[in-house]
Amino acid sequence: MKTGAKDKLLKEELITVESESAVGEALRLERVCYRYKADSKPVLDEITFSLEPGEWVTIAGPSGCGKSTLARILAGDLPRAGGGLRTGEVLVNGIDPADAKIAETARTIGLVFQDPDAQLVLGRVEDEVAFGPENLCLPPEVIRRQVAAALEAAGLEERRRDSIAELSGGGRQRTAIASVLALETPILVLDEAASNLDAAGRRRLQELLQRLHRQGRTLLVVTGRLDELALAAPRLIVLDEDGHLVQDGPSGALLREERPLLRQLGLLPAEQRVRATGGGSPNSVPPAVPLLEISGLTFQYGRNTPAVLEDVSLKLQPGEWHLLTGDNGSGKTTLSRLLLGLLPLPAGSIFWQGRDIAGISLYELAEEIGYVFQQPELQFVTANVMEELLYGPRCQLRLRAKDDLPEQVMQQAEEVLQLLGLHLEQDASPYLLSGGKKRLLSAASVFMTGKKLIILDEPTAGADYLGAGRLSALCRRAVQEGASILMITHEPEFFAGEYTVRWHLDNGRLKRT
């Protein structure tokens, strides 16, 4: 058999869907409510809908509306593993995932988590993808076939023996997708599964979903924005910020008829201003010495490995906002680590305020350069939202937790919470916020420290348009106060209308766009 024909056959054999007609509906939820605590406000409130076998549906809603909670309920993770109280009826292929055996649920429904790092448990790509089928005690030849098909579908054949720790965020997300595909479940739920993917990765995921739909799989896509991938589903279910189901119908019809509501919920972008580029402010005057200068930087991880970055040059002035784009694995995160002093740096290639970074200690750099993690949970250190915002200023002023902060700092924190829509959750645990709100809080906590340069790594991943707009307002405020921003993003369109300088990394080479 020719290679092309074999590859095509492999794709089409990704899933052999068993007939679902015997169990009726693929999913049914009847008046489902969910509370994380018995006396708390419901995250989901009176949710009722059903899916027929083979349907492809998008569930959309703003950050904090309970989308991820719903996905975890369907997969049996809640309340079994995460606690809480669920009422109402939930049936997945005729079984209640809260009571069914874990193996039975795992054979029925697969869930791709919003955060791939919360899903990955092993060190190597191929081992991770084989983990699920192996735990279901499938025959070795079946495991090999399903793993090969899943790796091919996710575009990971050539990286099957790579360490997951060495993958980009998009590579880890594709690994999580492959690990669920390898189970070949009749129902597949994807919670913001494209949030870390570049444009090519999103297109490939959409093509995969179209193929699975043709093969009869039941697909449920969970998202905070109605982009091309979300709207590819024929049916759209919309939740509001209080966890109520407010719309359910054909995607095209709802997009035409309910556009004001969808905009209000942050699922569609607001009217865009005219795009502006060229600097952090319209009237900035460059000083004699740039804040940051990269000159002819070439970097490779090992002596006999190809260069990750090649002849990279860039200048960034105080008060400028730069956007850095590039495909997964193009070197964006490597560049940010070099700027932070986290990787060995060749002398004479990066200068901070005229000084060679190679000669500046990590601690000295950390006093003036802030970093917003791609995974917000990695930088939370306190028990509630307000204290998380105040932690950086408290450390800078060498104050204890019980010491009072200056009134100016408290006022700034309250203004930031209001700006980001977090003022009603200032006493909540950062870890219990929705994914989008976690990202806003992690960014705000770094902005509160008054760093000269702030690097943000994919801060809009999985965000709705309202959340992205709030982040944009936070960045605009910081730039106006003199800070500089370097933002790594797959989604520069979120910042149309801002005064930005745009760069693109392509196979380790940087160019201004």
Side-chain angles (χ1 to χ4, degrees):
M1 182 181 294
K2 294 183 179 179
T3 301
K6 183 179 180 181
D7 289 346
K8 182 177 179 181
L9 181 62
L10 185 62
K11 291 179 182 179
E12 297 302 327
E13 288 182 348
L14 177 63
I15 304 297
T16 302
V17 183
E18 298 178 358
S19 172
E20 296 174 296
S21 58
V23 297
E25 294 160 325
L27 297 174
R28 166 164 284 280
L29 290 86
E30 188 73 35
R31 303 188 67 181
V32 172
C33 296
Y34 189 85
R35 291 174 170 86
Y36 280 95
K37 294 182 180 179
D39 58 350
S40 64
K41 178 183 175 182
V43 180
L44 295 168
D45 198 358
E46 296 287 317
I47 300 295
T48 296
F49 70 87
S50 62
L51 270 66
E52 295 298 319
E55 268 201 274
W56 179 5
V57 178
T58 287
I59 290 187
S63 182
C65 74
K67 304 185 301 294
S68 294
T69 297
L70 178 57
R72 294 177 65 189
I73 289 172
L74 293 173
D77 185 34
L78 293 177
R80 190 198 303 266
L85 177 65
R86 190 205 89 189
T87 58
E89 182 183 41
V90 178
L91 291 177
V92 179
N93 261 13
I95 64 173
D96 187 334
D99 301 328
K101 294 181 180 179
I102 293 176
E104 185 180 9
T105 303
R107 289 187 178 95
T108 303
I109 186 167
L111 170 61
V112 180
F113 285 30
Q114 183 174 8
D115 176 10
D117 291 327
Q119 186 160 2
L120 303 175
V121 295
L122 297 177
R124 198 173 66 155
V125 170
E126 186 175 42
D127 297 337
E128 183 67 44
V129 178
F131 182 74
E134 287 174 346
N135 275 272
L136 293 178
C137 301
L138 299 179
E141 63 275 11
V142 174
I143 294 175
R144 284 193 292 269
R145 178 187 65 79
Q146 294 183 185
V147 168
L151 288 170
E152 192 278 336
L156 290 169
E157 308 100 311
E158 295 182 0
R159 309 210 66 174
R160 63 190 304 156
R161 292 180 176 83
D162 286 4
S163 166
I164 290 174
E166 296 175 356
L167 298 178
S168 66
R172 294 196 300 275
Q173 192 154 49
R174 285 189 287 134
T175 302
I177 293 170
S179 69
V180 175
L181 290 176
L183 292 167
E184 298 195 352
T185 57
I187 303 171
L188 182 63
V189 180
L190 299 102
D191 186 3
E192 301 287 5
S195 58
N196 291 310
L197 300 180
D198 55 28
R202 289 195 293 270
R203 286 193 300 272
R204 183 170 188 141
L205 177 59
Q206 183 171 332
E207 292 168 359
L208 171 64
L209 294 180
Q210 289 168 337
R211 188 164 67 249
L212 295 177
H213 180 53
R214 290 195 300 268
Q215 294 169 352
R217 288 283 286 275
T218 303
L219 305 175
L220 191 62
V221 174
V222 178
T223 182
R225 68 180 78 146
L226 293 178
D227 54 14
E228 186 177 0
L229 177 62
L231 292 172
R235 179 180 167 194
L236 174 63
I237 295 174
V238 180
L239 305 182
D240 68 9
E241 58 271 15
D242 295 318
H244 300 119
L245 195 159
V246 293
Q247 293 291 336
D248 183 353
S251 300
L254 291 182
L255 189 63
R256 290 191 305 271
E257 299 165 9
E258 300 294 339
R259 189 171 290 270
L261 172 64
L262 300 177
R263 278 209 175 105
Q264 179 186 339
L265 293 174
L267 304 179
L268 291 175
E271 296 294 338
Q272 298 256 336
R273 293 172 291 162
V274 177
R275 179 176 177 267
T277 58
S281 66
N283 300 310
S284 58
V285 177
V289 178
L291 183 70
L292 173 72
E293 181 174 7
I294 306 174
S295 179
L297 169 65
T298 295
F299 179 81
Q300 56 193 114
Y301 281 98
R303 184 172 297 178
N304 298 319
T305 60
V308 179
L309 299 169
E310 191 169 350
D311 196 24
V312 170
S313 296
L314 173 152
K315 288 184 181 181
L316 186 149
Q317 305 289 359
E320 286 187 344
W321 182 353
H322 289 223
L323 301 179
L324 177 61
T325 63
D327 293 343
N328 292 135
S330 61
K332 303 185 301 297
T333 299
T334 296
L335 180 59
S336 70
R337 290 174 178 171
L338 288 166
L339 297 178
L340 293 165
L342 300 177
L343 293 172
L345 179 68
S349 55
I350 302 183
F351 299 88
W352 175 251
Q353 300 181 112
R355 295 175 58 194
D356 192 338
I357 280 185
I360 304 177
S361 72
L362 176 64
Y363 302 101
E364 188 177 351
L365 283 174
E367 289 180 357
E368 298 190 307
I369 302 177
Y371 187 79
V372 179
F373 285 45
Q374 193 169 352
Q375 294 82 31
E377 294 90 348
L378 296 180
Q379 75 189 80
F380 293 152
V381 293
T382 67
N384 66 58
V385 168
M386 176 61 88
E387 281 305 313
E388 191 66 37
L389 271 188
L390 298 175
Y391 181 79
R394 198 179 290 281
C395 290
Q396 290 175 322
L397 296 171
R398 301 180 185 275
L399 297 176
R400 297 169 296 177
K402 63 181 180 179
D403 293 337
D404 292 334
L405 281 157
E407 181 62 29
Q408 181 182 359
V409 175
M410 295 301 300
Q411 182 179 349
Q412 181 187 6
E414 290 170 1
E415 290 174 355
V416 168
L417 287 176
Q418 191 76 33
L419 178 68
L420 300 182
L422 294 172
H423 53 289
L424 298 179
E425 298 172 279
Q426 59 180 302
D427 296 323
S429 166
Y431 299 97
L432 296 181
L433 296 177
S434 66
K437 291 180 179 179
K438 285 177 183 177
R439 291 184 185 279
L440 285 175
L441 177 60
S442 65
S445 64
V446 175
F447 279 91
M448 283 289 294
T449 59
K451 306 291 187 184
K452 292 182 178 179
L453 171 62
I454 299 172
I455 301 171
L456 300 97
D457 193 355
E458 299 292 355
T460 60
D464 56 31
Y465 289 101
L466 181 60
R470 286 169 168 166
L471 175 67
S472 190
L474 180 68
C475 293
R476 191 185 318 126
R477 170 176 168 155
V479 166
Q480 290 169 350
E481 293 173 353
S484 297
I485 294 174
L486 178 61
M487 181 182 290
I488 298 169
T489 179
H490 288 309
E491 300 162 319
E493 62 274 12
F494 275 140
F495 308 99
E498 304 294 348
Y499 288 96
T500 61
V501 179
R502 298 193 177 193
W503 302 87
H504 184 76
L505 262 175
D506 183 11
N507 292 321
R509 291 187 173 273
L510 186 68
K511 63 179 180 179
R512 185 165 174 172
T513 61

